[in-house]
Amino acid sequence: MPDYSLFRPMQGLPWYLVLIWPVIYFRIQRLMDWFQVNGGPGSQMFWGLSKTGRVVLIRVSDDLSGHRSGCFRAPVSPRLRLALADETISPCPLRRQGRRIPASRTPAPLPAPGARACLLPLPNT
């Protein structure tokens, strides 16, 4: 059990933070609630206060995988789920499935930028 409450500030608190102690207390409670929801069994955290009165999370153990099965998950649309998937299930519907052009009839590749491929004068721009 901590040695502080809403009406009794923690020991060692600077005098200028005593006036905003209720705000700090509720920030600590919010952090504790978050850790209780997201922390797995046996996980630990170490928190502190900054000079401005912010509650700072200093260190958390690596085991934050203890999510409850009844936790609310935001719905994801099927299109977003397909876009985030590692492999696409169906081929792209916009790709044309026409006949292939033989390699001998493909156009020549474009010249590299900056190389003069023809003898035309450059425009005056």
Side-chain angles (χ1 to χ4, degrees):
M1 195 90 191
D3 61 339
Y4 56 86
S5 67
L6 179 61
F7 302 110
R8 185 179 52 168
M10 61 177 32
Q11 295 178 355
L13 189 70
W15 61 271
Y16 56 88
L17 292 179
V18 173
L19 295 175
I20 60 168
W21 169 247
V23 175
I24 295 171
Y25 178 77
F26 285 117
R27 288 179 180 171
I28 293 170
Q29 294 302 314
R30 192 170 64 188
L31 178 66
M32 296 284 192
D33 291 342
W34 172 83
F35 187 72
Q36 195 171 30
V37 169
N38 293 317
S43 58
Q44 298 176 356
M45 78 169 170
F46 184 59
W47 59 270
L49 291 176
S50 68
K51 293 179 182 179
T52 58
R54 293 193 179 266
V55 179
V56 180
L57 189 60
I58 297 172
R59 189 172 298 153
V60 178
S61 64
D62 292 338
D63 184 23
L64 288 179
S65 61
H67 297 293
R68 296 188 175 121
S69 61
C71 186
F72 174 75
R73 302 265 185 219
V76 178
S77 69
R79 291 175 59 192
L80 178 62
R81 185 176 294 124
L82 178 65
L84 295 176
D86 290 339
E87 297 179 9
T88 56
I89 298 170
S90 61
C92 179
L94 299 177
R95 182 180 291 173
R96 291 190 288 174
Q97 300 294 331
R99 61 186 179 106
R100 294 184 162 248
I101 300 173
S104 62
R105 296 178 69 195
T106 57
L110 294 175
R116 290 191 178 186
C118 56
L119 299 174
L120 296 175
L122 294 175
N124 296 332
T125 57

